[in-house]
Amino acid sequence: MLTVDFDRLGLRPGERVLDMGCGAGRHAFEMYKRGADVIAFDQDADELATVREWFAAMREAGEVPAGAEADVKEGDALALPFADGEFDRIVAAEVL
């Protein structure tokens, strides 16, 4: 179940997006399917390992547009390891 209305978000292919607090990755997967360059960010290394596997499976199954990129990054949302302006969009759903 997605809790973000991606049509309303106006996400376009090629945009760089951060799924902050991605958990199991459902929002990251949807953005990846829509052609975004996605970083799935979370504190839970085990969840991120699974998200990385799913990104690879989606790519292998041809479920993402050519050129779309996806990766995971472990870290704390209170100390983001990204530069200002690095992302076109940020999704932080059900983080608090």
Side-chain angles (χ1 to χ4, degrees), residues 2-3 10 13 20 27 30-31 34 38-39 42 49-50 56 58 60 71 74 82-83 85 89 92:
L2 296 175
T3 57
M20 187 174 71
H27 294 113
E30 180 65 20
M31 293 186 287
R34 290 173 179 250
V38 180
I39 298 293
D42 205 283
T50 302
M58 291 169 67
E60 289 173 15
D71 202 359
E74 184 180 350
F82 307 108
R89 309 244 190 263

Side-chain angles (χ1 to χ4, degrees), residues 14-84:
E15 288 189 319
R16 186 159 165 82
V17 296
L18 174 66
D19 185 356
M20 187 174 71
C22 69
R26 69 183 184 276
H27 294 113
F29 301 147
E30 180 65 20
M31 293 186 287
Y32 191 33
K33 285 181 182 179
R34 290 173 179 250
D37 292 338
V38 180
I39 298 293
F41 183 81
D42 205 283
Q43 293 184 77
D44 188 327
D46 292 335
E47 289 268 45
L48 289 174
T50 302
V51 170
R52 184 185 310 274
E53 290 173 7
W54 276 100
F55 280 152
M58 291 169 67
R59 194 170 29 256
E60 289 173 15
E63 296 178 0
V64 295
E69 304 270 335
D71 202 359
V72 301
K73 177 94 174 158
E74 184 180 350
D76 185 340
L78 298 176
L80 293 173
F82 307 108
D84 289 350

